[in-house]
């Protein structure tokens, strides 16, 4: 049975049993620190994009309707440095909770996937593949001054290079 838990400051540690089949709602940077090490077989993250949309109103090419891009606080960072620090802290803590032969999937758009890939390599993750999600129904071309943004990239990686040899492909 799935249990939904709202993380509380007073809660210091989650046991493996509390984590299994649970959804824990909270700040990932804080919640992950309360998890035991090496407990997950697979991790999937879809982190903030840091889209940096222009402050002025964006109107679509030809039809001129207003673009409603992601404008939430969780996607706001003061600089690439702040964004990189967030991603680094997140991936650092994730690495700790991954089992030695666990894999990780990270999805992002061109706005951030290249930075994320570099940070992963710097942290010692070993990238196995990049997988391109080709969207069959992408957001239409907004301004008509570039190409339609119709893909996202997934990085599939292991914790470290040595361990990728332990993964057997049948
Ligand atoms: C790119 S969106 C992913 C959306 C998700 N895949 C979905 O389909 O709903 C990034 C998500 O990360 C969440 N988020 C941002 N910062 C977070 C943090 N520190 N801890 C936990 N979640 C966070 C945001 O609330 C947002 O839902």
């Amino acid at each position: 049975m799935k249990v939904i838990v709202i993380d509380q400051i007073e809660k210091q540690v989650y046991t493996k049993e509390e984590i299994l089949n649970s959804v824990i709602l909270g700040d990932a940077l804080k919640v992950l620190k309360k998890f035991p090490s090496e407990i997950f077989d697979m991790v999937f993250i879809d982190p903030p994009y840091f889209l940096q949309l222009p402050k002025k109103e964006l109107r679509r090419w030809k039809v001129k309707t207003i673009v409603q891009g992601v404008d939430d606080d969780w996607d706001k960072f003061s600089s690439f440095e702040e964004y990189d620090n967030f991603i680094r802290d997140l991936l650092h803590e994730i690495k700790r909770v991954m089992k030695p032969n666990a894999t990780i999937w990270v999805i992002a758009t061109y706005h951030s996937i290249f930075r994320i890939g570099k940070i992963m390599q710097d942290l010692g993750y070993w990238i196995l593949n990049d997988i391109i999600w080709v969207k069959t129904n992408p957001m239409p071309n907004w301004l008509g001054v570039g190409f339609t943004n119709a893909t996202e990239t997934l990085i599939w990686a292991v914790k470290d290079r040595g361990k990728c040899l332990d993964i057997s492909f049948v």
Side-chain angles (χ1 to χ4, degrees), residues 40-57:
F40 293 107
D41 292 294
M42 198 274 279
V43 174
F44 186 105
I45 61 167
D46 184 4
Y49 323 93
F50 192 26
L51 281 183
Q52 307 182 69
L53 291 179
K55 296 218 175 1
K56 68 177 174 87
E57 191 178 86

Side-chain angles (χ1 to χ4, degrees), residues 27-29 32 45-50 74-75 77 79-95 104 106-109 111-123 125 155:
D27 181 339
L29 294 176
L32 279 165
I45 61 167
D46 184 4
Y49 323 93
F50 192 26
W74 56 258
D75 202 43
F77 297 85
S79 62
F80 277 126
E81 190 183 357
E82 193 193 2
Y83 179 74
D84 291 354
N85 288 339
F86 169 78
I87 294 291
R88 191 174 299 106
D89 290 349
L90 183 64
L91 285 165
H92 172 79
E93 212 50 46
I94 287 173
K95 201 160 188 256
I104 179 168
V106 185
I107 187 166
T109 58
H111 305 87
S112 50
I113 195 70
F114 304 106
R115 322 186 67 77
I116 294 172
K118 180 200 183 284
I119 292 166
M120 289 179 80
Q121 289 179 321
D122 287 349
L123 287 173
Y125 286 96
I155 292 175

Side-chain angles (χ1 to χ4, degrees), residues 7-46:
D7 182 52
Q8 308 288 338
I9 300 175
E10 312 80 64
K11 177 84 176 161
Q12 307 276 310
V13 173
Y14 288 95
T15 64
K16 234 168 128 173
E17 292 67 34
E18 286 173 311
I19 295 165
L20 189 68
N21 295 327
S22 300
V23 176
I24 301 173
L25 302 176
D27 181 339
L29 294 176
K30 294 189 178 130
V31 175
L32 279 165
K33 285 193 166 60
K34 303 178 182 183
F35 287 0
S37 299
E38 301 194 347
I39 56 164
F40 293 107
D41 292 294
M42 198 274 279
V43 174
F44 186 105
I45 61 167
D46 184 4

